[in-house]
Amino acid sequence: MDEPDFTRRLKSALLGTPDAPLAFLGNFEVEQRWALGEHTLPRLSAEGGAAVVNHMDEFALLLAGGDDHVVLKAAPDPVYLAYLTELGIDLPTIHVVADSDPRRTVTADALADPATLKALAGLAKRGVRLTAHGVSDLEVELAERTGMALAAPDAGTCKAVNSKVYSRRAADELGLRQPAGWACETVDELREAFERARELIADGRKVVVKEALGVSGKGIAVLESERRMDRLLGLVAKQVEKSGRARVGFVVEEWVAKRADLNYQFTVARGGDVRFDFVKELHTEGGVHKGHRMPARLTAGQVAELTETAHRLGKKLAADGYFGVVGVDAMVDPDDGLYPVVEINARHNMSTYQARVQERFVGAGQIALARHYPVRLRRRLPFAEVRELLRGLLLDRAGGTGLLVNNFATVNAGHRADSAFDGRLYGLLVASSDEELRGVDDDITSRLEARP
């Protein structure tokens, strides 16, 4: 019989048993660590929002189970923890780092805190193993300094299989449909790809260039003219010459028409078995991305195609030394055909953190939307105030209607004394129809915007 709890299934895949305890790290945007020393595209703006991104570590609270542990940058709001407990969620043991730096990931904070290192070393002696959003050299260092075994492949493997160059070549090897494009690991290969892409631009089509390890929409350039293409090639070539490092990592592809964006997840076990977990549809309104809709509005044939693709990709990843969670971005074209592999993310994804509560709180026949609400603040906002503000709109039971808040740390992450700041309220919105979902979503948005 299939294990009904996602986290227990994950443990079986990683450890061979559903009952072993894990310590969770939500080191979001680990790609930035993987990309250190790599050649990049020109940045048009400064990095921002690091504090909010790093406090996304609180998502791990709802992936870990009651016998697990989670390391966090800040202690969760106690009223928020009480709210989760009232919902019947079995929370893990929480370990909070000292002297958290908003610019650091939770892993870097833990490495700088002797008390956290000591606590993790104690857990290691009890057989607790470490799992992370993604594994870089920092997570390996944390495991080594605490004696805690990593429930993951080595950092080199994790970086390699998360490259967009790997995604492109894996799909080519498996004969999967992709937009016209080329993977490039030298300046000469990039130059050759641009020469071939000139025909697309001359035909009035767009071309996109992606960094191999770009994340969250960064590291992408859309080219609509040969002049911009030549300028970009010159900048990369100069960067390579100056650094003395000949290897690059870019993908050049045609920008194709699509009807919808998808994200699907599967899990690769240590022994190579592959389990398809789910597929979700990116939800947009007026061209603006609002979250992930579940279930995705797909035919049985489309789901079957994605399931088969997941198993083929999973076998490829296993052969290359990877095991664990894999998220894949895909697209539906205007004629309902699939581009089943746009990008492989062989790490935890946003959807991973929703899996356990989705199974428990979204009833049969219901739909859900995972999204965030932006909030502009001038002081810290306690969860008690949010709970009162959204009275009647928060989910209070499995199969009910409303918003299940699945990260509150991001609301106040950017707090600075005497200065306005932006936060995000993340949640899983559950309803029985699209109309009901829109109504509750609009009510939440209105109340947050009308807050004094």
Side-chain angles (χ1 to χ4, degrees):
M1 182 177 176
D2 198 17
E3 172 63 58
D5 182 274
F6 172 78
T7 300
R8 288 174 62 82
R9 294 198 303 272
L10 176 62
K11 290 180 181 183
S12 293
L14 298 178
L15 308 170
T17 172
D19 299 314
L22 286 169
F24 288 78
L25 288 172
N27 56 316
F28 276 74
E29 297 203 351
V30 63
E31 287 90 346
Q32 293 189 1
R33 188 71 188 180
W34 289 329
L36 289 178
E38 301 287 335
H39 296 296
T40 61
L41 296 172
R43 291 283 189 257
L44 299 179
S45 59
E47 296 291 334
V52 172
V53 169
N54 287 329
H55 276 81
M56 289 168 72
D57 65 335
E58 194 176 79
F59 278 118
L61 269 180
L62 297 181
L63 180 57
D67 58 346
D68 296 317
H69 301 259
V70 63
V71 182
L72 297 179
K73 290 175 66 67
D77 183 306
V79 180
Y80 174 57
L81 291 180
Y83 155 79
L84 295 176
T85 301
E86 289 165 17
L87 283 171
I89 296 172
D90 49 333
L91 296 174
T93 300
I94 298 169
H95 305 266
V96 181
V97 300
D99 301 319
S100 173
D101 184 329
R103 297 164 297 181
R104 294 191 304 219
T105 64
V106 63
T107 310
D109 275 345
L111 284 166
D113 180 22
T116 297
L117 293 174
K118 183 178 180 180
L120 293 180
L123 294 179
K125 292 177 181 177
R126 291 161 46 191
V128 179
R129 279 168 279 192
L130 189 66
T131 187
H133 182 76
V135 175
S136 72
D137 61 312
L138 289 185
E139 289 66 48
V140 172
E141 181 183 351
L142 184 62
E144 290 174 347
R145 289 178 61 182
T146 59
M148 185 172 281
L150 265 173
D154 64 89
T157 297
C158 290
K159 175 179 176 177
V161 299
N162 276 282
S163 165
K164 294 177 180 61
V165 169
Y166 178 90
S167 296
R168 180 86 206 178
R169 289 181 172 164
D172 282 341
E173 179 184 322
L174 296 175
L176 300 171
R177 183 192 184 199
Q178 297 183 92
W182 307 271
C184 311
E185 291 188 292
T186 66
V187 172
D188 284 343
E189 286 181 349
L190 185 63
R191 183 178 290 109
E192 182 181 347
F194 278 0
E195 284 301 318
R196 298 170 74 179
R198 289 179 194 277
E199 298 176 16
L200 300 176
I201 291 177
D203 197 33
R205 291 182 277 180
K206 294 180 184 178
V207 171
V208 61
V209 184
K210 306 175 185 177
E211 290 176 10
L213 294 164
V215 61
S216 300
K218 297 185 283 287
I220 294 178
V222 179
L223 307 180
E224 298 183 67
S225 70
E226 294 190 43
R227 180 179 177 184
R228 177 154 164 71
M229 183 184 291
D230 291 337
R231 181 172 177 272
L232 189 64
L233 180 63
L235 289 170
V236 172
K238 186 178 295 184
Q239 192 182 115
V240 168
E241 183 179 2
K242 185 177 179 180
S243 71
R245 290 177 282 107
R247 183 184 165 279
V248 303
F250 297 103
V251 167
V252 181
E253 289 181 336
E254 180 184 1
W255 186 281
V256 296
K258 61 186 177 183
R259 180 181 64 76
D261 289 294
L262 306 172
N263 175 261
Y264 61 96
Q265 179 179 294
F266 57 93
T267 306
V268 182
R270 276 183 185 264
D273 289 341
V274 180
R275 185 188 195 281
F276 184 83
D277 294 324
F278 50 72
V279 56
K280 299 180 181 181
E281 178 182 345
L282 270 67
H283 177 69
T284 59
E285 287 184 10
V288 178
H289 175 217
K290 294 193 70 175
H292 285 85
R293 184 191 190 276
M294 55 205 89
R297 287 164 289 198
L298 297 172
T299 65
Q302 289 170 325
V303 174
E305 181 178 343
L306 294 176
T307 302
E308 181 189 0
T309 301
H311 280 84
R312 296 179 67 195
L313 288 173
K315 294 299 182 185
K316 163 69 177 169
L317 285 159
D320 291 336
Y322 181 80
F323 60 92
V325 171
V326 183
V328 181
D329 293 335
M331 296 186 298
V332 184
D333 72 24
D335 297 319
D336 283 338
L338 293 178
Y339 289 102
V341 184
V342 174
E343 176 180 318
I344 298 170
N345 293 300
R347 52 158 173 79
H348 290 176
N349 295 255
M350 282 291 284
S351 294
T352 311
Y353 299 98
Q354 301 152 10
R356 195 162 184 252
V357 291
Q358 179 185 343
E359 289 177 343
R360 295 176 68 173
F361 292 95
V362 183
Q366 288 192 301
I367 58 174
L369 176 67
R371 64 154 299 175
H372 75 266
Y373 298 88
V375 287
R376 182 72 172 167
L377 303 169
R378 290 190 172 274
R379 61 170 176 82
R380 286 188 175 277
L381 181 63
F383 186 77
E385 288 188 28
V386 173
R387 193 170 195 176
E388 182 61 30
L389 184 68
L390 300 182
R391 180 181 291 276
L393 297 176
L394 292 182
L395 192 72
D396 60 4
R397 68 188 187 282
T401 297
L403 180 73
L404 192 163
V405 177
N406 62 349
N407 189 318
F408 191 69
T410 50
V411 170
N412 296 302
H415 175 259
R416 296 289 182 276
D418 305 318
S419 177
F421 62 97
D422 294 309
R424 300 178 199 161
L425 177 67
Y426 281 91
L428 190 69
L429 191 58
V430 184
S432 296
S433 67
D434 283 302
E435 293 73 23
E436 185 178 44
L437 191 79
R438 278 193 294 271
V440 177
D441 189 24
D442 289 344
D443 285 348
I444 292 171
T445 300
S446 297
R447 291 194 197 181
L448 289 173
E449 290 178 348
R451 181 186 53 81

